[in-house]
Amino acid sequence: MTEVSTILVVDDEADIRESLCSHLERSGFQTARAASAVEARTWLTSNRAALVMLDIMMPGEDGLSLCRHLREVDKTPVILLTALIEDTDKIVGLEIGADDYITKPFNPRELVARIRAVLRRIPESDAAPVKPKTKRFAGWTLDEDQSEITRKDGLIVSLSAGELAILKVFVEHAGDVLSRDDLMQHSRGRDTLAFERTIDNVISRLRKKIEIDASNPRIIKTVRGGGYRLISSGEP
């Protein structure tokens, strides 16, 4: 599924569509293209857009009809784009739920400013769901939001706050040798660990949870004189 930062540009005129997408991409947006309302509907069945730039005057289903449909099915922001300058067209577009309206020809910088203004107005509750913070290592998946790890066979294991903080540091620095001081410094702010022995105890508990044999660890290795290292290619 396409990332929700994507702006869907719907316009039957290829030169306008491509020019608009190129400018948006230079301004830091991702874009998708549709030459008709039918193409837009098809794209939206399997993707989600942060905002839809929608031309009103298109062959077949026009932009007003598609805008009305979008308002019925979700709250994706819509900016109408048209060569029409009649106030009645603007009023109709806004009445059926468009978030803004801009007339061709337009200033590209003004268009980008309007897009950003509309995106800033989206209530946080209407924004796209935040993706879970997950990371993979050695046959496990770490889910920071749920404070748990899931093994590739589906086994779910809960983590304490201290275990989560230290494991997150290991995963972020997989392959690196980390001293006890490194682990304390990197985990500070998440769960401050005051003494080196506390680090050792947390690692001992983690090994019991992720290793097949905690006495012969293959994932969290002890490095003589150096500290510890997570081997991300290891297997539980």
Side-chain angles (χ1 to χ4, degrees):
M1 178 173 284
T2 302
E3 296 290 340
V4 295
S5 57
T6 299
I7 294 177
L8 175 61
V9 177
V10 188
D11 196 308
D12 63 300
E13 296 185 51
D15 55 342
I16 293 178
R17 189 172 63 245
E18 294 305 315
S19 174
L20 181 53
C21 287
S22 295
H23 185 79
L24 291 175
E25 288 163 3
R26 288 195 299 271
S27 299
F29 296 102
Q30 298 178 54
T31 65
R33 299 154 170 80
S36 65
V38 172
E39 285 188 18
R41 285 176 181 264
T42 300
W43 187 88
L44 288 165
T45 59
S46 56
N47 299 277
R48 185 172 177 184
L51 181 143
V52 177
M53 290 292 310
L54 180 55
D55 184 34
I56 288 183
M57 298 297 292
M58 295 187 293
E61 182 182 6
D62 65 19
L64 292 177
S65 174
L66 180 57
C67 180
R68 187 178 294 108
H69 167 73
L70 293 174
R71 291 283 68 79
E72 291 173 352
V73 298
D74 62 27
K75 297 181 180 179
T76 303
V78 174
I79 294 180
L80 294 175
L81 183 64
T82 183
L84 298 176
I85 58 174
E86 295 293 333
D87 286 343
T88 53
D89 298 307
K90 179 177 180 179
I91 292 169
V92 169
L94 296 176
E95 283 182 344
I96 64 175
D99 295 270
D100 203 351
Y101 186 108
I102 192 164
T103 304
K104 303 175 188 176
F106 52 84
N107 182 310
R109 292 182 63 184
E110 178 188 358
L111 181 60
V112 169
R114 289 194 181 209
I115 288 172
R116 289 180 173 149
V118 168
L119 292 175
R120 284 195 299 269
R121 293 201 302 266
I122 301 173
E124 190 171 328
S125 59
D126 293 339
V130 176
K131 293 183 178 179
K133 296 179 183 177
T134 61
K135 295 182 175 66
R136 298 180 185 277
F137 70 97
W140 291 91
T141 298
L142 169 64
D143 186 331
E144 297 176 37
D145 293 331
Q146 298 299 318
S147 296
E148 64 186 23
I149 50 176
T150 303
R151 200 165 62 190
K152 60 184 179 180
D153 62 2
L155 174 68
I156 298 175
V157 179
S158 297
L159 301 172
S160 69
E163 291 164 356
L164 174 63
I166 293 300
L167 183 56
K168 187 174 185 296
V169 175
F170 272 126
V171 173
E172 289 174 347
H173 299 272
D176 296 343
V177 176
L178 300 170
S179 67
R180 293 177 180 85
D181 186 61
D182 290 333
L183 291 165
M184 285 190 288
Q185 291 299 322
H186 286 302
S187 63
R188 192 156 297 172
R190 301 166 185 146
D191 183 57
T192 302
L193 303 169
F195 305 101
E196 289 190 357
R197 184 54 58 189
T198 303
I199 295 286
D200 294 336
N201 290 337
V202 172
I203 291 173
S204 177
R205 296 200 304 270
L206 280 173
R207 283 173 168 165
K208 290 176 182 177
K209 293 185 175 184
I210 68 177
E211 305 275 6
I212 291 177
D213 180 0
S215 64
N216 183 30
R218 300 177 61 186
I219 299 176
I220 300 178
K221 294 273 196 178
T222 299
V223 179
R224 181 171 298 182
Y228 300 95
R229 177 169 57 192
L230 183 135
I231 309 299
S232 60
S233 59
E235 289 292 333

